[in-house]
């Protein structure tokens, strides 16, 4: 049993604190946000993460997990202090380090005995050194070592990812400190890789950038598949069975979103640029990702002609299923592009309607289920692949829609079945929609089988 404190109770910090408590350690979670802390003390979570609420309550009840706004109380007693604060994007795409700096200063003031400071926030290469400098400057008598320990948790499966990691990466100049942090992770029985601090920080950026690159790669292939009549889903399956390639992160669609990939690819490109490098691949990855959102609008125009006055239903607002997070969600950008063209929106998401509302056009209609969203719509776009969208009653759907047009932005349906059911169907990279030529740019209801 170790004494641990975790600074920052976002999804990374809260998951880390709770999982370490569950492994039998005594953990204090610290956040400057009093409402967040008082909510947690009453068992209310600031985020949605499957399984986490139950785990928090269980560990609080067992006395292993506490929450506070009081740094001294938390940090003063700890052998291990995790920094898990946010690193939002700055004006130029760089990571904004103000919360990391503030956390380092607070830790320096609160340290009583020797401690290992472990940085979990995704931070620019060199931030480990910065944290060391800040603590030393603020409290010259502090006895500490800084270890970089990037996180690889996915929203929606954060507990499973924490408990069964593919690897634990530790970066430090003080090898003994890194070994002690490795010891802390021993119950996870995962391979541990110990490097210098900068290398560990880079492993995080390179991993996220590589996964984002795979997504943009398959999206580029998808666009070519459309033109050449191949099916990208089968192409990805055929590629993925090659062990050197693997099948993960090869799902073509409307592109990646969330609080990590967009921010991290941009921050890495920024770091390269300020050192005089031109990271061409990273720029292409970002550009392809944006084009995937525009592709939805282009395809809708192919099918419906002008979008002015048309009603479009969007299914899914969160950036991926199993989360209510709408940060950088493709749905928000698609909604704005459609709004700019004069379309009216009807939207549905099982979890994230409230979080999305402030970011959507004012006249958006919030439906209570997928059929309600589809009612009277000229087209329906699947933006997030929630399970409950996978088995919709196609007869009912077709009956309520104004026109039977489906843009399947996550390739969750079988194109043949959809066409058999009488839909004008467009998946991503599964062939262009077959729309009869319409010289007026407006597809007549008759051509759509109405
Ligand atoms: C990602 C990484 O997967 C985690 O390892 C990392 O710890 C985390 O960022 C982070 O840096 O904190 P997350 O953002 O939760 O996790 O979500 P992912 O499951 O990776 O998905 C990211 C986006 O890519 C989603 O919008 C998803 O729809 C999209 N995606 C994913 C695709 O478009 N195609 C795919 O094949 C896979």
């Amino acid at each position: 049993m170790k004494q641990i404190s975790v600074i920052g109770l976002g999804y990374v910090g809260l998951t880390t604190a709770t999982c370490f408590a569950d492994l039998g350690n005594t953990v204090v979670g610290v956040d400057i946000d009093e409402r967040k802390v008082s909510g947690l003390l009453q068992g209310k979570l600031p985020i949605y993460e499957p399984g986490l609420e139950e785990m928090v309550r269980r560990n609080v009840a067992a006395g292993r997990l506490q929450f506070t706004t009081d740094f001294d109380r938390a940090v003063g007693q700890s052998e291990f202090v995790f920094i898990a604060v946010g690193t939002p994007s700055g004006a130029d795409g760089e990571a904004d380090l103000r919360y990391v700096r503030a956390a380092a200063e607070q830790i320096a003031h609160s340290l009583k005995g020797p401690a290992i400071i472990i940085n979990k926030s995704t931070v620019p290469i060199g931030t480990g050194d910065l944290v060391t400098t800040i603590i030393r400057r603020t409290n010259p008598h502090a006895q500490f070592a800084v270890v970089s320990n990037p996180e690889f948790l996915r929203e929606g499966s954060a507990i499973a990812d924490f408990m069964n990691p593919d690897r634990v990466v530790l970066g430090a100049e003080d090898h003994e400190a890194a070994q002690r942090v490795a010891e802390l992770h021993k119950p996870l029985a995962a391979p541990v890789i110990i490097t210098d601090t900068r290398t560990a920080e880079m492993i995080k950026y390179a991993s996220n950038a590589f996964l984002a690159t795979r997504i943009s790669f398959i999206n580029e292939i998808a666009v070519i598949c459309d033109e050449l009549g191949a099916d990208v889903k089968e192409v990805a399956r055929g590629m993925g069975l090659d062990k050197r390639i693997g099948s993960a992160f090869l799902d073509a669609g409307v592109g990646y979103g969330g609080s990590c990939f967009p921010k991290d690819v941009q921050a890495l490109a920024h770091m390269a640029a300020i050192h005089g490098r031109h990271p061409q691949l990273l720029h292409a990855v970002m550009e392809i990702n944006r084009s995937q959102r525009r592709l939805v609008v282009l395809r809708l125009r192919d099918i419906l002609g002008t979008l002015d006055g048309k009603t479009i239903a969007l299914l899914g607002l969160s950036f991926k299923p199993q989360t209510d997070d709408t940060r950088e969600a493709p749905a928000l950008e698609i909604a704005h592009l459609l709004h700019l063209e004069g379309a009216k929106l009807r939207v549905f998401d099982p979890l994230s309607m409230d979080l999305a509302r402030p970011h959507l056009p004012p006249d958006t209609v919030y439906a209570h289920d997928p059929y309600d969203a589809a009612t009277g719509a000229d087209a329906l776009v699947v933006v997030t692949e929630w399970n409950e969208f996978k088995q919709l009653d196609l007869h009912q759907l077709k009956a309520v829609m104004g026109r039977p047009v489906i843009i399947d932005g996550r390739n969750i349906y079988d194109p043949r079945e959809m066409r058999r059911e009488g839909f004008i169907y467009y998946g991503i990279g599964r062939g262009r929609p077959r729309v009869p030529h319409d010289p007026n740019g407006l597809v007549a209801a008759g051509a759509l089988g109405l």
Side-chain angles (χ1 to χ4, degrees):
M1 185 193 81
K2 307 280 187 214
Q3 296 281 343
I4 297 172
S5 54
V6 178
I7 319 287
L9 296 172
Y11 101 96
V12 173
L14 193 55
T15 304
T16 303
T18 310
C19 289
F20 273 125
D22 209 56
L23 292 171
N25 301 289
T26 303
V27 184
V28 185
V30 197
D31 204 289
I32 50 171
D33 183 341
E34 281 180 21
R35 273 183 46 198
K36 194 185 272 186
V37 169
S38 67
L40 280 164
L41 290 171
Q42 294 160 38
K44 282 189 220 128
L45 262 62
I47 49 156
Y48 172 80
E49 182 61 38
L52 194 56
E53 191 163 290
E54 182 277 324
M55 210 185 213
V56 167
R57 288 197 180 148
R58 191 156 38 81
N59 283 284
V60 169
R64 289 188 297 262
L65 180 60
Q66 298 164 46
F67 300 106
T68 182
T69 51
D70 182 349
F71 269 76
D72 287 348
R73 198 185 116 205
V75 174
Q77 315 296 324
S78 300
E79 299 160 66
F80 298 96
V81 182
F82 283 88
I83 300 179
V85 297
T87 49
S89 277
D92 211 14
E94 78 283 12
D96 178 345
L97 285 180
R98 82 180 81 163
Y99 302 113
V100 175
R101 287 171 186 275
E105 277 174 24
Q106 288 276 12
I107 292 167
H109 286 303
S110 303
L111 279 180
K112 299 227 166 49
I116 300 179
I117 320 299
I118 305 150
N119 190 23
K120 262 205 175 297
S121 299
T122 300
V123 289
I125 287 67
T127 305
D129 301 341
L130 175 74
V131 169
T132 304
T133 308
I134 292 174
I135 297 177
R136 202 164 277 148
R137 192 177 58 211
T138 315
N139 179 357
H141 305 297
Q143 285 176 278
F144 70 99
V146 173
V147 175
S148 163
N149 170 216
E151 55 87 14
F152 301 104
L153 310 177
R154 285 164 301 171
E155 287 188 29
S157 54
I159 295 175
D161 288 349
F162 185 96
M163 293 297 188
N164 308 291
D166 289 341
R167 77 297 206 191
V168 173
V169 174
L170 301 172
E173 272 47 74
D174 180 336
H175 196 77
E176 204 190 309
Q179 286 292 359
R180 285 185 53 206
V181 182
E183 236 357 76
L184 190 63
H185 288 83
K186 210 166 170 192
L188 305 180
V192 176
I193 157 162
I194 298 183
T195 68
D196 61 76
T197 316
R198 284 170 181 253
T199 303
E201 290 166 344
M202 186 53 128
I203 288 172
K204 167 69 191 208
Y205 277 103
S207 300
N208 273 4
F210 182 71
L211 293 171
T213 303
R214 285 178 68 104
I215 297 169
S216 282
F217 174 83
I218 202 66
N219 281 333
E220 179 146 285
I221 295 293
V223 172
I224 304 172
C225 282
D226 270 346
E227 301 305 324
L228 302 182
D231 181 339
V232 76
K233 224 170 154 161
E234 294 298 305
V235 171
R237 206 158 69 91
M239 288 169 63
L241 287 170
D242 183 328
K243 289 191 188 63
R244 294 168 303 173
I245 298 174
S247 59
F249 284 75
L250 283 183
D251 291 327
V254 290
Y256 60 79
S259 65
C260 306
F261 287 177
K263 173 170 77 79
D264 293 349
V265 177
Q266 204 175 24
L268 185 56
H270 182 267
M271 280 183 265
I274 58 170
H275 286 91
R277 299 289 148 194
H278 179 53
Q280 301 175 56
L281 180 58
L282 299 180
H283 285 298
V285 167
M286 291 188 275
E287 199 182 312
I288 292 167
N289 200 51
R290 287 212 72 202
S291 328
Q292 291 308 106
R293 273 85 149 143
R294 288 192 214 109
L295 187 63
V296 169
V297 180
L298 293 180
R299 290 293 179 260
L300 282 170
R301 268 202 238 125
D302 284 349
I303 302 170
L304 298 175
T306 175
L307 299 181
D308 193 21
K310 300 276 168 29
T311 300
I312 311 293
L314 297 185
L315 292 192
L317 299 172
S318 56
F319 82 96
K320 65 173 189 178
Q322 307 305 330
T323 177
D324 61 358
D325 196 341
T326 58
R327 284 176 288 178
E328 300 284 335
L332 303 187
E333 197 174 341
I334 291 169
H336 279 283
L337 291 171
L338 292 172
H339 177 67
L340 284 175
E341 304 231 355
K344 297 189 215 104
L345 298 167
R346 296 176 66 84
V347 302
F348 174 73
D349 187 283
L351 270 187
S352 60
M353 303 266 259
D354 289 339
L355 283 175
R357 203 180 288 261
H359 308 289
L360 287 171
D363 54 351
T364 300
V365 175
Y366 296 85
H368 36 260
D369 64 33
Y371 304 101
D372 183 27
T375 300
D378 294 289
L380 178 143
V381 183
V382 177
V383 191
T384 315
E385 68 279 32
W386 285 97
N387 275 340
E388 64 181 272
F389 302 155
K390 291 180 181 167
Q391 305 261 357
L392 293 179
D393 179 332
L394 297 178
H395 290 291
Q396 193 184 339
L397 195 65
K398 192 159 169 247
V400 296
M401 289 184 73
R403 298 175 202 223
V405 175
I406 296 207
I407 307 283
D408 181 359
R410 295 294 182 180
N411 289 342
I412 61 175
Y413 302 123
D414 176 356
R416 274 163 308 186
E417 192 191 345
M418 297 309 280
R419 287 178 189 134
R420 213 172 32 238
E421 291 291 336
F423 285 97
I424 293 199
Y425 172 86
Y426 173 68
I428 307 288
R430 315 188 80 185
R432 285 173 77 111
R434 279 177 234 128
V435 186
H437 179 64
D438 179 353
N440 302 320
L442 273 167
V443 175
L448 294 170
L450 295 173

